Amino acid sequence: MTQPRHHDIVIIGGGAAGTSVAASLLRQRSTLDVAVIEPSDTHYYQPAFTLVGGGTYALEDTARPQAHTLPHNATWIRQSVSELKPEQQRVVLNNGNEIHYRALVVAPGIELNWSAIEGLPEALGQGGVCSNYDPSLARYTWQCIDGLKAGRALFTQPSTPIKCAGAPQKIAYLAAHQWQKRQQSHQIQAQFYSGMGALFSVPDFVPHLQNVAIDYGIGINLKHDLIRVDGEKHIATFKVTDQNDETHEVDEPYDVLHVTPPQRAPQFVRESVMANEGGWLTADPHTLQNPDYPEVFSLGDASSLPTSKTA
């Protein structure tokens, strides 16, 4: 059995969280042995995906080579992680190799769980079913918005935590603005469906957002969780929870369906001994350390920190 590679500090994830930690550490002490585990060759500025879907930004402007965004004096390990072994201070890679660390930073981001919605993986990218949560689909969102002259446009948000909690509403407002400019609003029925019990998690924002929705003529439907998509019949099925916490299903026809998928921490985080009941890596909100393994830190979307999952 080959001996594991060793680095002083191992960072899982080359997104906003992991990259900023690596850069900050090496700026303060350039001799540190820092390794970043990141499988992707491309670093995306994900908040701009909504603007791509809204027709106001070019997809290519959201992307940069990963090699250009990581600190030059960090070691880049181009692999995915399959397992965390905090008892041995090791990380297992998908290729079976193990990395030993003195300190570990877990910042792998969040996973899009498309398959949690029945029929969605098969329907995506055609027949008006779109999503800004994947760069390969964002331009199709704009094609759907731009091409719709009349009909029903549905925008969804799941009840799970998601990255950029405002994004599901933003695309609805951007779309409605386009239709309003083209004087097509009276021909298009726009509806926003959220699995949450409120329009937004910050109460002070809710009245203002409600006014925006009213101004654009967007109907608001709370406690409506998308559970099924029939791409052939153009039917979206929602599980609706009433005031007595009883549930039933409703079918809604659509011409355009913008889906925000349910999201979760990556599997190696969910299955770790350091994960909490929700599957997020447990981290002290003041120190970012795991309480059982103080050499392990976590931040970003996969952590349990009481912050919005957005950079």
Side-chain angles (χ1 to χ4, degrees):
M1 182 175 178
T2 59
Q3 289 295 314
R5 289 171 53 178
H6 175 85
H7 296 277
D8 290 337
I9 300 168
V10 171
I11 300 171
I12 302 175
T19 299
S20 60
V21 170
S24 178
L25 290 172
L26 289 166
R27 190 178 298 119
Q28 295 174 67
R29 192 182 303 174
S30 60
T31 57
L32 279 174
D33 177 12
V34 177
V36 179
I37 303 174
E38 170 56 55
S40 177
D41 288 330
T42 304
H43 179 103
Y44 285 104
Y45 180 66
Q46 297 181 60
F49 291 168
T50 297
L51 301 179
V52 174
T56 62
Y57 207 82
L59 179 63
E60 53 268 25
D61 291 338
T62 70
R64 291 185 182 179
Q66 194 79 52
H68 294 179
T69 60
L70 292 173
H72 67 88
N73 46 347
T75 300
W76 180 15
I77 301 174
R78 303 184 194 187
Q79 288 286 329
S80 297
V81 173
S82 63
E83 186 182 356
L84 301 176
K85 292 184 175 180
E87 303 90 345
Q88 302 174 28
Q89 293 184 224
R90 294 184 184 184
V91 171
V92 183
L93 306 178
N94 272 4
N95 62 7
N97 292 342
E98 296 190 2
I99 309 295
H100 187 272
Y101 57 81
R102 285 176 51 206
L104 175 67
V105 178
V106 183
I110 204 168
E111 179 180 282
L112 305 177
N113 189 13
W114 302 104
S115 60
I117 298 172
E118 182 185 341
L120 178 59
E122 297 80 10
L124 267 175
Q126 57 186 333
V129 181
C130 54
S131 180
N132 290 334
Y133 273 78
D134 187 299
S136 70
L137 297 169
R139 281 192 285 213
Y140 182 61
T141 298
W142 172 241
Q143 292 176 23
C144 294
I145 291 170
D146 190 42
L148 186 65
K149 311 303 179 186
R152 301 189 83 229
L154 314 184
F155 302 85
T156 76
Q157 177 171 344
S159 56
T160 67
I162 60 171
K163 52 184 172 182
C164 195
Q169 289 183 60
K170 290 177 190 176
I171 189 58
Y173 303 147
L174 284 167
H177 180 70
Q178 291 292 334
W179 297 325
Q180 197 175 77
K181 281 200 310 182
R182 299 173 187 176
Q183 298 182 338
Q184 296 172 322
S185 297
H186 64 288
Q187 297 173 301
I188 297 172
Q189 183 187 1
Q191 295 286 323
F192 180 73
Y193 294 85
S194 174
M196 308 298 289
L199 192 56
F200 202 70
S201 58
V202 182
D204 288 347
F205 291 176
V206 171
H208 303 285
L209 293 171
Q210 287 176 331
N211 289 335
V212 172
I214 290 170
D215 289 343
Y216 280 129
I218 300 172
I220 301 297
N221 307 273
L222 302 178
K223 293 190 175 181
H224 282 61
D225 235 338
L226 180 66
I227 59 172
R228 187 163 55 252
V229 176
D230 188 327
E232 291 186 3
K233 295 181 180 179
H234 284 220
I235 297 292
T237 302
F238 295 87
K239 183 180 75 173
V240 183
T241 304
D242 63 22
Q243 293 179 343
N244 298 318
D245 287 332
E246 296 181 354
T247 62
H248 63 278
E249 294 183 7
V250 294
D251 291 338
E252 297 288 353
Y254 66 84
D255 296 285
V256 169
L257 174 65
H258 180 274
V259 179
T260 300
Q263 295 164 39
R264 59 189 180 183
Q267 183 176 358
F268 72 86
V269 172
R270 302 195 310 269
E271 295 179 351
S272 167
V273 296
M274 297 183 288
N276 66 11
E277 290 183 358
W280 311 103
L281 198 137
T282 304
D284 183 281
H286 303 289
T287 66
L288 310 189
Q289 290 170 286
N290 180 265
D292 298 318
Y293 301 93
E295 68 281 357
V296 177
F297 299 77
S298 184
L299 72 162
D301 295 349
S303 76
S304 67
L305 298 175
T307 59
S308 295
K309 296 188 180 299
T310 173

